[in-house]
Amino acid sequence: MTREIRLQYCKVCAHQKKDLNLGIICGLRGTVADFEAYCPSFEEDALLKEKMRARETEFAVEGKLASQGQRFANYLVDQVFLVGFGLIIGSVIGIILAYVAPEYLYIFEYDNRLMEYGLGMVLGFIYFSFFEGFTGRSLGKFFTKTKVVTENGERPDFRTIFVRSLCRYIPFNAFSFLGSDPVGWHDSLSKTRVVQID
């Protein structure tokens, strides 16, 4: 039996001990494990096993992260859909106002950047919360074959998607995933990742 196979047991054993020179050793014997078929003193530690499983899952998720190019394509496609979504909603509001309260149509005549930005945030929040909440993917992610998962590789709940959608409006967030790894602030703060799917 090789050291790597023995370490699979030692990493989750309640008797393990860390040694700076040797790595994981048996705390009962003070030496590196050398058993052949099984360890007679092996006692599984549920907490260590859960930590090891979480670390393995995290490494699996990190290995499938969407590339910077995919993230940028997601951003561009989603922005196109958001502009279209905004035009449709604005037209519907205009038609409704024309029939119900035509005296309020003047709000469309003036350039109000603050109002436009506020409405854009609300529409973007609805767009991302709806699509990522129900499918784990925005329309841009459908095109690039990526999806949102938690750091553990599981499907995020609506609370997580809510936080993720809010964090998108942190100033300069759109550029935060262009660093050494393609993880943006809205990913880090909501403990989510965007991964490639098969």
Side-chain angles (χ1 to χ4, degrees), residues 33-50:
D34 59 359
F35 60 89
E36 281 305 317
Y38 70 95
C39 178
S41 58
F42 175 71
E43 186 180 320
E44 188 176 278
D45 184 319
L47 184 60
L48 286 174
K49 187 169 185 175
E50 180 58 31

Side-chain angles (χ1 to χ4, degrees), residues 28-192:
L28 298 175
R29 296 179 32 223
T31 62
V32 174
D34 59 359
F35 60 89
E36 281 305 317
Y38 70 95
C39 178
S41 58
F42 175 71
E43 186 180 320
E44 188 176 278
D45 184 319
L47 184 60
L48 286 174
K49 187 169 185 175
E50 180 58 31
K51 282 182 181 178
M52 188 171 113
R53 188 194 68 76
R55 230 175 328 193
E56 287 171 354
T57 305
E58 185 178 327
F59 287 138
V61 168
E62 295 296 324
K64 295 164 89 177
L65 285 179
S67 69
Q68 290 175 337
Q70 287 172 311
R71 298 298 303 266
F72 188 64
N74 289 346
Y75 176 77
L76 290 179
V77 171
D78 287 333
Q79 290 306 309
V80 168
F81 279 107
L82 276 171
V83 168
F85 185 46
L87 287 172
I88 291 169
I89 296 297
S91 299
V92 169
I93 290 172
I95 291 169
I96 291 171
L97 281 178
Y99 285 106
V100 177
E103 65 273 9
Y104 289 107
L105 280 175
Y106 72 90
I107 63 172
F108 290 110
E109 295 175 10
Y110 301 106
D111 237 1
N112 187 339
R113 292 286 180 200
L114 187 60
M115 185 179 79
E116 289 174 9
Y117 186 71
L119 287 174
M121 282 179 59
V122 170
L123 291 177
F125 179 78
I126 292 169
Y127 170 82
F128 287 110
S129 296
F130 177 80
F131 282 106
E132 291 182 350
F134 284 105
T135 66
R137 305 165 81 185
S138 64
L139 294 175
K141 290 176 186 68
F142 276 102
F143 284 101
T144 61
K145 296 184 179 174
T146 57
K147 71 176 180 177
V148 178
V149 297
T150 64
E151 290 176 329
N152 296 330
E154 298 168 357
R155 182 180 175 159
D157 58 16
F158 274 97
R159 185 185 157 282
T160 303
I161 294 298
F162 180 82
V163 170
R164 179 181 168 82
S165 297
L166 279 178
C167 290
R168 287 180 180 276
Y169 296 100
I170 295 171
F172 305 108
N173 174 68
F175 303 105
S176 64
F177 62 85
L178 297 175
S180 58
D181 60 346
V183 177
W185 295 333
H186 64 286
D187 299 318
S188 302
L189 294 171
S190 63
K191 298 184 183 342
T192 58

